[in-house]
Structures are given as C-alpha cells and as structure tokens.
Amino acid sequence: MGKGPGLYSDIGKKARDLLYKDYQADHKFTVTTYTSNGVAITSTGIKKGELLLADVSTELKNNNITTNVKVDTKSTLFATVTVDEPAPGLKTIFSFIVPDQRSGKVELQYQHEYAGISTSIGLNANPLVNFSGVVGNNCVSVGTDLSFDTASGNFTKLNAGLNFTHSDLIASLTLNDKGDTLNASYYHIVSPLTNTAVGAELTHSFSSNENTLTIGTQHALDPLTTVKARLNNYGRASGLIQHEWRPKFLFTISGEVDTRAIEKSAKVGLALALKP
C-alpha cells in the first residue's frame, strides 16, 4: 500500500470497482497493438442493441510525457497530454475535445504523504473551476470536491468524503449532490491468496427518501479466472466471469437478471480485450 491519502477520487474506489467494474450488458471488443517506435494503438468497438460505436486511440510515451489521442465514429477527437512529475509528486494534465471549443482544460495533481490535491480550470472566457483535496494518511483521510461555474457564479458540485483504511478493509462515507445524497461503502479482503473480497454500498437520497443497497463479492477460481456477483435491494442480480486465456488477453462474460420479473429476458454482455 502506498503512502499518503491519495486523491478524492480514491475514496470508495475499491468498493466501486468490486461492485461495478467490468459489468456490462453490451458487446465490446478491444485490440491493442504496438508499432516499432513504441506507439500503442487501441481499437474499440461496442454494440449497443442495433447501434455500433467504435473509436481508435493512440498513445505515445516519451520520458515523462504521455500523449493520448482518440477519434470516435462521430469524428470527435479527444486529446490528452500528461506530464508526470515535472516536480516531485506533481502531475500536469492538458485535455481538449475537437470541435468543442469550450472543452480545453488544464489540471494539476499533487500527492504528498499527508495530502492529495487536484485542481483544474477550463481554458475559455467563463471557465468551470474544479478543486478537490484530501488530507490525512494511508489510514484515515477526509476531503472535499468542489466545482464553481464562473459564468453563473454558482457552485455546480459540493461533495465531501471520509475514508478509513485498515490492513484488510476500507470504509468510506461521502455526501454528494450538494448534500442531497449520502453514500456509505465497505470493502473487505477475505482471502488475499484467492483474491476473495466482499463489498457493499448504501445510498440514501434525502429529497426522495429512497435507499439503494448493493452487495457484491469476487473470487479467483484460479490465477487466470475470476468470478464476481452482486445483488441490490431492487432484486437485480448480476454476475460475471473473466478469464485471461493468454497473458493480457481477457475474455469477460457478464449477465443481469431481475429476480422480481424472471419472465423478462436477462441481459448478457461480452467483452474481449487483446493486448500483446
């Protein structure tokens, strides 16, 4: 485990990954190849019902500078340039979208033994300013996540979070949506040898007085095969199996069924990732 509290986005991340990562109801195919000069080219295709979406991205690393350019089927170009550690603990990220002239953004991230800070500002006349900060250590941390729209003069995001980490468990509490949503999550490693873990997430909305509880688990059948399952209080059960049939060649099949309406068709998703 690394030192320091990390960034605000790390609060509750382990539980979110356990409960939601790799689950999907679509068909996805990803292929990554490398040119002789080290450029990584990734092609991705996703079939959503009758709709087919695709994109191609290239990634070039030169010392501590990483440039990523992606183009999708709508001829939209996404570009990101990351400068890793121009100074100790600092990372600079510049991104923009073409043809969206208001999308340019520069972000600074700084991680210290007792703090993690991320701030960004849009590169336009009336930018959106984001700030998130966490203070603490690798055991206990508290933080906030803010966004301010200079055009309207209003805060568009006001979040706060608390994270507690032990050797085999992580508990998190966040207040989101300007105080309207309370989220509590829990992640516990049962057996490191088999990558077995359990997790839960409870979300309460003060405006609607609704609660959503999701519980899940994961287990490695062998060093190459992992299974996951989750269930929420609305009766939606999901499961997946992921197999690495060759190094960095991942095949994932996932499904979801509404246990309160078994007569409805189950959703099944397939994902194939090839990365030599």
Side-chain angles (χ1 to χ4, degrees):
M1 183 180 296
K3 292 184 178 180
L7 300 174
Y8 186 86
S9 57
D10 294 325
I11 295 179
K13 185 178 185 302
K14 282 286 190 179
R16 291 194 303 270
D17 286 350
L18 171 65
L19 296 173
Y20 305 111
K21 187 179 180 181
D22 295 325
Y23 286 99
Q24 63 176 26
D26 307 309
H27 297 168
K28 183 177 181 180
F29 182 73
T30 303
V31 178
T32 301
T33 58
Y34 295 89
T35 64
S36 58
N37 58 355
V39 177
I41 302 175
T42 302
S43 302
T44 302
I46 302 177
K47 187 175 185 296
K48 293 178 176 287
E50 299 299 321
L51 184 64
L52 180 62
L53 305 175
D55 62 66
V56 177
S57 65
T58 61
E59 183 180 88
L60 173 63
K61 293 184 179 181
N62 183 14
N63 297 324
N64 65 330
I65 301 177
T66 302
T67 303
N68 187 286
V69 178
K70 182 175 72 173
V71 180
D72 64 14
T73 50
K74 297 181 180 179
S75 298
T76 303
L77 184 146
F78 305 81
T80 304
V81 179
T82 303
V83 183
D84 195 15
E85 294 213 335
L90 184 66
K91 179 183 290 187
T92 303
I93 304 171
F94 172 71
S95 62
F96 62 90
I97 302 173
V98 177
D100 187 355
Q101 298 179 355
R102 292 176 50 87
S103 64
K105 182 177 70 173
V106 62
E107 179 180 358
L108 296 176
Q109 295 180 0
Y110 177 71
Q111 296 196 58
H112 183 265
E113 186 177 1
Y114 301 110
I117 297 172
S118 175
T119 181
S120 67
I121 184 170
L123 302 178
N124 53 68
N126 297 296
L128 185 67
V129 181
N130 296 276
F131 172 83
S132 65
V134 179
V135 294
N137 51 37
N138 59 335
C139 294
V140 180
S141 60
V142 295
T144 186
D145 185 21
L146 312 173
S147 289
F148 181 75
D149 188 347
T150 59
S152 63
N154 296 321
F155 282 97
T156 59
K157 183 166 59 175
L158 288 170
N159 300 332
L162 170 66
N163 199 67
F164 172 77
T165 304
H166 193 259
S167 58
D168 59 353
L169 66 86
I170 302 174
S172 306
L173 186 68
T174 58
L175 188 62
N176 305 313
D177 302 324
K178 299 181 181 180
D180 182 63
T181 305
L182 183 66
N183 182 287
S185 65
Y186 172 80
Y187 173 87
H188 177 60
I189 300 173
V190 178
S191 173
L193 294 177
T194 58
N195 196 29
T196 304
V198 295
E201 180 184 63
L202 175 63
T203 301
H204 175 74
S205 173
F206 293 100
S207 59
S208 63
N209 200 31
E210 291 184 353
N211 295 313
T212 301
L213 174 64
T214 304
I215 58 175
T217 184
Q218 71 177 24
H219 175 72
L221 299 177
D222 57 54
L224 302 177
T225 308
T226 298
V227 293
K228 295 173 66 175
R230 72 181 183 196
L231 175 69
N232 67 19
N233 60 314
Y234 295 104
R236 294 192 177 276
S238 305
L240 73 79
I241 181 169
Q242 185 175 80
H243 180 67
E244 187 176 11
W245 54 285
R246 285 182 59 187
K248 297 183 181 180
F249 282 38
L250 294 174
F251 175 73
T252 306
I253 180 170
S254 59
E256 179 181 289
V257 63
D258 187 348
T259 60
R260 298 183 181 180
I262 299 295
E263 68 279 3
K264 294 183 179 180
S265 298
K267 298 179 181 179
V268 178
L270 299 171
L272 182 63
L274 310 178
K275 188 176 181 180

